[in-house]
Amino acid sequence: MSKDYVIKAENLSKVYPGDGIVVEALKNASFTIYPGEFVVVLGPSGSGKSTLLNIIGGMDQPSGGELLYEGRNLTSYSRDQLSDYRREAVGFVFQFFNLIPSLTALENVELAASMGKQSEDSGEVLKWVNLAGREKHFPSQMSGGEQQRVSIARAIVKKPKLLLCDEPTGALDSKNSIDVVRILLQIRDQIGCPVVAITHNAGMAQIADRVFYMKDGQLQKIETNEHPLSVEELVW
Amino acid sequence: MVKLLFRKMLRDMKRSMATYLICIVIVATGFCGYSILLICFGDLSLSRDYFFEQTNYCDGFAVVEQAPLSVIKELQHIPGVKQVQRRIAKDVPVKGLASEEAHLQLLSIEENGMNHVYLDAGRLPARDLELVAGNGFYEGNHLKLGDKLTLSIQGANRQLTICGKGISPESIYMIEDMSQMLPSMDKYDAAFISYEDMASLYQMESMANQFLFSMIPGNEFDDIKDEVEDILDPYGVSRTYPSDEDMSVSVLKQEIDQLEKMSFAIPVFFLSVAAIILYIMLHRLLDQQRTQIGTLMAMGMSSLIIRIHYMCYGLLIGISGGLIGGILGNLAAGPLTEYYQIFFQLPNLTTGFYPMYLLQGMAMGGIFCGAVAWLCTGNVYKNTPAEALRPEAPKKVKRFILEKIPGFLSLFTVPGVIAVRSLARYKKRTFLSLFGIACAYMVTASLVSMNSLFDVFLFDELEKNQRQDISINFNTLIKENEALGSLQNNKIEAKEGVLAIGASLETPDAKEKLDVTIQAIDEDATLSRLYDADANEIRVKREGIVISEYMAQVLQVRAGDTIILKLTYPEEKRIPIPITDIMAQYMGSNAYMSKEAIGNISEYRDVVNRILLKAPTDIQEQLKEQFKDSPNTGTIVTRQEHIDQYRSMMGSIGAVMVALAGMGVLIGMAVIYTSSLIYYEELKREISTMMMLGLKSKECLDVVAVGQWILTIGGVILGIPMAMWASKVISTSMASDIFVIPDFVDAPSLLLSIGLIFIAVWFSSLLILHKLKKLAPVELLRERE
Ligand SMILES: Nc1ncnc2c1ncn2[C@@H]1O[C@H](COP(=O)(O)OP(=O)(O)O)[C@@H](O)[C@H]1O
Ligand SMILES: [Mg+2]
């Protein structure tokens, strides 16, 4: 594996001050994410997976530890700098798609494209995720699987350095889930950007290059799959 | 990106079009009023300035008994004076017209001189008994050029030929004294005649009874008043005043100024109501779009851009409202200007299209609504994207304060309880809706009460204060016992003489000054009655003066203080005089004294110029016959004629008021409808659950309606003091020397307005019910955002 990393985290932690009870959502997580790898984060609900992803994606600041993105220290970033980081480097895919309901499929992608510096053509990207012909449809006129593919197109149109997916198949049936996974693998293979995907589904772990196991806010272990399965072999 | 965000905004707005449209309409109404009034103000001011310039209107007047023209030289030497012009002015009865009281104010004019007449038709008078009649008189009496008018001059009938018609600044609004509110130009108007004719008609060759002054720019007539008075003192100077104190000119000025004053209040009010609705709506929108905001942030859009995006919602509403309002205002200003034209008959009054007001409306509306939206989005800054994307922690269900009252909740059905709790949950919104409804109530109540205001005027003037059936007004002072003695008719139940003279009141330090009419009455007068603010009757005393609340306020004095009474006849005199009482007076600028009191301090002893009678009105004809040939009798007016005059005024203004009150109700409906709509949207999920449990749409309506009724009742309770406050503000801001508006909100108007607001609530319930009937519960439960 290449020594060059995209993300390098050292003792990351996150504490949420609630009323009365303080929640330690993330405790001393250290890891690295390399270019072109597919990482799956597995763990029960409430174990801190989203917290971890949000911090990597610059959506939230860690309470402690250090986070490096290509050598730059994200922990010292201001809100505006984090915003720039998200715009330039990170693509997000959410469990519930989070498309803008009043924009069409194409417009949703274009909105993201307009924010990137060297974005792909939005229409081409939609074709790439097999949505040719659906450009003019509003989110409410599309199935969950289609919406998730729009949201993937939106995430990758600006050629991110890092694609983060929080339970991307969580709201989908098995057929649609497999489609989404296939596309995520294509992204890794064809674009070369690392994909980090949270899932509850142990099956998905088998196709990953590496698997992060989380429990109670702790990154318990990191497993490397020497022989990841292909999508065709995947049983959902 | 801008294009896409703009599209998003338009589509978002289309989804709740009704509420945004309401907002736009309210903003538009405000700016419509604003531009109407300002356009009208501009038209009238322009026309006035043009008119004053054309007629060469003077800077000051001096009125004397009679003075030789040689005095002009002396007057011209006063530093600052540019020019002095002679003038003879006389009131003269006109015989043989429909109205027996018809009379004209004859004014002498000079070729190219000051206070010239603006000709509407015909030509200027030559020196052979020709005159130019005032437009109102000319038209009111259906006269033609070449007609002869019979004027009763010094006991003799003289024939003068009408050679033209026209007006001058002094005859825009001709009223004989301040107590007459509306001009009736067919009975009293100005007429213009050459100085030479005038002098020979009145045997006043080389004499004048008025002098007109123009000043060298940079000098004020007020500054030379004392010098003028000194010079004219030997000739019985009665009044010197700057030209803007002329009755007609000052009425015009006050009307025009009032337009400008109101033009700023109106948009402020409407914008505040729009702000409330906008704030409620955007708050709701931001709640709804929480996830969208989080997503945009996650995509790396800066909070600033997101904030600007939502500010644009307000901006768009404000700009379109301002634009529409400006256009409507431009369209509607024409008719209003014409309405004023009925009163003022200004020449050369034109109204155009003023794009400036569109721009102003758009700018002001945009800035204001944009600012409201900007404030609304303050929270966007605070969240990290991760927080924005987490579903908001459900608000704790709070108990409504009123729930503490034992048995309160048992008043409601289950849907009602949901409604009550949701009011408690969204405190800010509840408060804003409450305030919005209170505002709507305030407008409705104050406008509805304005209508009844005119009855107050009428009642005050004609029922409470003036009890006579007939009043006889004389042109000069006559001996009281002779005048009363001449009225021997057994139908007359009571007769009382009144002396009405012009005077001014001053504070001892001469800082504040006010022109008033002194009404001298009997100490035990029964036909002129005075009341204080608490409606207790007060009487004039053997010494001292009774002034109105308005005067007391302007002069900053109280009962018991001493003020200076300034009389100008037969010579200028300043007399300190105690204020015995302060009375309520809405119209006119009358201060009351006893005849004895005025007789003790001046030459006005045992004389009157007005007689009030209590008698059946059928003796009016007899009286007219009796006084027909008396040169000193001006008018004989019955109570009914007085009332008719007021009614005609109310008729025209009443229509405007009804329109305004209707607007208040519409605003009320708008606020109530938006807030119901928002509650409905909020409670949609609960409602559809209830529908699945088998409740009918009507029962579900309770959820919205109960909340709405609680808000409405609360709003009205809050609105009552607000309406009273508004009436105070309106009355103090509109008070002028001529009339004072009382605090006019009364119980019937308050009740009527409650009725109107309730109708609005009921109506908006119907609209919501319509929505509920179309609601498919399954769809709703599936929908997520
Ligand atoms: N903004 C927050 N405020 C308070 N507690 C939070 C917040 N975000 C997450 N948590 C808590 O942190 C823990 C980890 O949450 P999360 O990372 O969302 O778990 P996962 O995604 O694995 O289900 C949970 O106990 C959650 O309740
Ligand atoms: Mg999670």
Side-chain angles (χ1 to χ4, degrees), chain B residues 301-586:
Chain B
M301 196 176 279
S302 71
S303 331
L304 184 66
I305 291 185
I306 295 173
R307 221 176 152 184
I308 291 173
H309 168 62
Y310 285 102
M311 182 185 75
C312 285
Y313 286 67
L315 217 55
L316 186 71
I317 288 176
I319 290 175
S320 16
L323 178 68
I324 295 172
I327 292 174
L328 291 178
N330 265 291
L331 295 179
L336 185 69
T337 307
E338 272 162 36
Y339 171 80
Y340 274 100
Q341 185 65 341
I342 296 172
F343 284 104
F344 295 133
Q345 320 234 337
L346 285 171
N348 200 47
L349 184 62
T350 52
T351 167
F353 194 83
Y354 300 88
M356 189 184 80
Y357 293 114
L358 304 192
L359 294 179
Q360 241 179 44
M362 277 159 58
M364 282 164 65
I367 290 172
F368 185 84
C369 296
V372 170
W374 183 257
L375 286 178
C376 250
T377 53
N379 281 339
V380 169
Y381 264 125
K382 291 193 192 126
N383 286 341
T384 65
E387 279 167 317
L389 274 174
R390 272 171 64 89
E392 195 177 10
K395 291 207 176 194
K396 271 186 239 153
V397 174
K398 285 193 190 136
R399 283 176 193 279
F400 198 41
I401 317 170
L402 292 178
E403 284 184 42
K404 290 191 182 128
I405 302 169
F408 178 77
L409 275 187
S410 58
L411 290 173
F412 301 103
T413 52
V414 173
V417 173
I418 296 180
V420 170
R421 294 237 164 98
S422 93
L423 285 184
R425 194 163 13 148
Y426 299 95
K427 280 231 173 59
K428 207 178 208 169
R429 196 166 307 152
T430 302
F431 177 75
L432 282 172
S433 306
L434 211 61
F435 189 67
I437 292 171
C439 275
Y441 180 77
M442 178 182 82
V443 189
T444 315
S446 3
L447 291 174
V448 167
S449 327
M450 278 254 207
N451 251 337
S452 68
L453 184 64
F454 296 99
D455 291 329
V456 174
F457 270 150
L458 192 67
F459 175 76
D460 187 70
E461 257 314 279
L462 298 171
E463 313 272 326
K464 248 170 68 189
N465 294 358
Q466 301 192 13
R467 304 275 179 113
Q468 81 278 12
D469 297 312
I470 300 175
S471 61
I472 307 172
N473 304 304
F474 299 97
N475 292 334
T476 52
L477 300 177
I478 49 173
K479 285 254 172 262
E480 182 170 19
N481 43 17
E482 280 172 29
L484 293 179
S486 68
L487 291 166
Q488 296 300 344
N489 187 318
N490 49 17
K491 281 187 178 165
I492 297 175
E493 292 167 42
K495 47 188 176 187
E496 288 171 11
V498 175
L499 170 70
I501 49 171
S504 18
L505 298 179
E506 293 179 5
T507 45
D509 58 6
K511 273 218 180 91
E512 302 291 340
K513 222 178 194 178
L514 203 58
D515 284 337
V516 300
T517 305
I518 301 285
Q519 304 272 358
I521 58 176
D522 294 322
E523 274 171 70
D524 56 352
T526 56
L527 299 181
S528 309
R529 302 230 187 155
L530 312 178
Y531 296 88
D532 68 11
D534 302 324
N536 300 314
E537 183 160 8
I538 47 187
R539 295 196 165 276
V540 290
K541 304 273 159 49
R542 193 165 299 258
E543 267 183 352
I545 187 168
V546 177
I547 65 172
S548 72
E549 286 174 316
Y550 176 74
M551 296 171 194
Q553 191 198 322
V554 170
L555 299 171
Q556 300 191 327
V557 288
R558 279 177 304 185
D561 290 354
T562 296
I563 46 168
I564 306 296
L565 173 67
K566 186 180 150 197
L567 294 172
T568 46
Y569 180 82
E571 70 229 10
E572 196 178 297
K573 224 176 173 184
R574 285 186 159 77
I575 311 132
I577 185 169
I579 299 167
T580 54
D581 275 299
I582 310 280
M583 66 176 169
Q585 174 180 267
Y586 301 139

